[in-house]
Structure formats: structure tokens, C-alpha cells
Amino acid sequence: MTRTAKKDLERHYLDRVKAMLPGFPGGTVQPHEEPDFLVNLGGGVLGIEITELHRDPDGQLLPLQAREARRDDVIEAARALHDRAGHPPVDCQVHLKDVTMHRDRVQPLAAAIAEIVAANIPADGELVRFVEPTWRTVAGFPDEVDYVRVARYDGLTESFFGGAGHTWLQPLALGDVQRALDAKEGTFDAYRRSCDEAWLVIAIDGHRMSTWFDDPDQVRAAVFKTRFARVFVLRNFNGTLLELKTAWP
């Protein structure tokens, strides 16, 4: 993710918090670093840090968010190859297995996917083709690919390549939240050099499956150790904001 895209995502999360939190302080919001945003309150400055919470490593060589990013690289490279070859615009969904993939595998796998797509562009009058490994096709099918769906729609002016996926949900646990708090503790003093009070927003259920958690019932009654004045869990799927109970010894 580019720096600009990361800042845009952080601003999206902040805007959701502003819309859901009654009494969100008025004032000019300025992008910043350490913390991510400053709110000029006239008589003081509020700092707001935004962080996405990802699941703990699951035993693979790359954590889930890194595997998702690598799959995105493959699919984007396949789209670029498709377009450069001058093929008609298509809507393509690629389901890649959730396995650790070395970066050297990105371009060869993208080329193989682009070849599968090119060979299965629906003909005029045909809407979609679904391609998966069978005894007829398995020899030319990459091991990492479960299936490829290729569609053509009237009026489609550019190609869209996306990655389908699936995952299991785990409850948001006390340790998950404390892990997010501990990760920010080392830079808390830097935040306070720019503001009078610092808040933390922990975003879950975001654009990466690694941020998907089940209901946070476990954390509602808990008290978390932190120096942040207020801490919130932003759930993006159902649009809810949970303020956590906090204390500092």
C-alpha cells in the first residue's frame, strides 16, 4: 500500500469515527504523523492515532496480511499483462490458495493466469466462463490457483481483476487488543509531543481478511492498560464503535 493510499484509508476510518461518536470534538482536522491526525480545539490539540489490527501469525512463513498482499500483487500483474496484450476488457475473479508465496513466483504465476484468461474470454453472446483444474486442464493449471472466472459485459471499458478468498473468524480477544495497545506504547511519548491528549482507534473488519474478527464480547467488560486517554474499536462491517475501558497504574 502506498503512503497516499494508507493515509486515505486512515482518513476514511477517522471519518467513520466522527460520524458515530456523539460529541466528537469540533475543530480543524490536520493529517500528521505520530499521531496520524491532529484536531485543533482552540485551547488545545487532540491527537488521534489509527491502527489496523491484524491476526496473530498462524504458523506460515508469511503472516496472513502479507500473503493477501502477495496475492494482490499476482492478480494486478495478471491484469497488466492482459491489458498490454490488447485483449478485450473482462471482469475476472481469481481464487488463489492461501499459501506462502515467494516474490519470485509473482510474475510467472501472473503470466500463467493471464494465459488462462486469454484462452477463456467469453465469445460474443456468451457471458461468463468458469475454469478450474480438471483431468483435461490440470496439466496447465498452476498449483496455487483454485479457479478462474472470466466474464464480459456490455459496456465494459476496462478490465477488472479481483481475488476471491475465504477465511474463518475468531473472536476479538483480550490479547488481540492489548497487542495493539502495546505496539503503540513505544511511540506514545512522540504522540504527546504534538498534542495535549491522544486517542487510539483500532480498526477491524477492514479490506484485508486478516483484520476480520468475530463479535468483541470478550473485550467489552475488560479494563486495558494504556496511556491513551480514550481507545475505540471500530468495526467496519456492521458500522459500530466500541469505546474500551482503560486505566494506567
Side-chain angles (χ1 to χ4, degrees):
M1 181 182 294
T2 65
R3 180 182 294 270
T4 299
K6 181 176 183 294
K7 207 65 187 177
D8 288 345
L9 182 61
E10 291 168 350
R11 183 59 197 239
H12 169 71
Y13 290 151
L14 179 62
D15 288 342
R16 299 207 72 187
V17 172
K18 288 178 62 177
M20 287 186 279
L21 180 63
F24 186 92
T28 304
V29 177
Q30 297 178 329
H32 190 67
E33 293 297 333
E34 295 188 347
D36 293 315
F37 297 96
L38 298 177
V39 184
N40 191 333
L41 306 178
V45 176
L46 169 65
I48 302 178
E49 176 71 6
I50 312 288
T51 186
E52 275 193 325
L53 178 60
H54 295 269
R55 298 180 192 175
D56 262 337
D58 57 3
Q60 291 207 37
L61 293 177
L62 292 178
L64 178 56
Q65 65 266 33
R67 301 197 302 271
E68 290 183 80
R70 188 65 50 80
R71 293 197 295 269
D72 287 348
D73 291 344
V74 170
I75 292 169
E76 174 56 25
R79 183 205 58 78
L81 289 170
H82 178 87
D83 288 346
R84 283 202 297 268
H87 296 304
V90 295
D91 182 330
C92 177
Q93 286 288 326
V94 183
H95 193 290
L96 294 171
K97 292 182 173 68
D98 183 20
V99 295
T100 294
M101 190 187 312
H102 194 273
R103 63 171 56 91
D104 290 346
R105 181 61 178 150
V106 170
Q107 288 300 326
L109 181 55
I113 292 170
E115 288 183 9
I116 291 171
V117 173
N120 290 278
I121 296 174
D124 291 341
E126 185 182 9
L127 180 61
V128 64
R129 289 187 182 182
F130 185 88
V131 191
E132 60 184 340
T134 66
W135 68 272
R136 294 178 182 274
T137 63
V138 69
F141 227 83
D143 291 339
E144 301 92 336
V145 179
D146 282 326
Y147 67 78
V148 179
R149 179 193 59 76
V150 188
R152 286 183 71 186
Y153 307 123
D154 291 340
L156 194 63
T157 59
E158 61 180 344
S159 289
F160 173 81
F161 279 52
H166 62 274
T167 188
W168 50 273
L169 293 180
Q170 66 181 35
L172 181 64
L174 305 183
D176 296 318
V177 174
Q178 194 62 55
R179 178 163 48 86
L181 293 170
D182 292 344
K184 296 297 179 180
E185 178 60 29
T187 47
F188 182 84
D189 291 333
Y191 302 155
R192 283 300 310 274
R193 285 194 286 270
S194 299
C195 60
D196 302 295
E197 182 176 296
W199 294 2
L200 178 65
V201 175
I202 302 172
I204 63 173
D205 303 339
H207 70 298
R208 293 278 186 216
M209 290 187 293
S210 58
T211 67
W212 295 0
F213 291 87
D214 208 347
D215 194 274
D217 281 344
Q218 295 185 35
V219 307
R220 294 181 190 276
V223 179
F224 293 93
K225 177 183 174 182
T226 181
R227 289 189 286 171
F228 285 98
R230 301 179 75 177
V231 179
F232 303 89
V233 174
L234 171 64
R235 298 195 69 193
N236 285 281
F237 282 165
N238 61 5
T240 59
L241 186 69
L242 170 65
E243 182 167 6
L244 302 180
K245 299 179 178 67
T246 62
W248 184 253

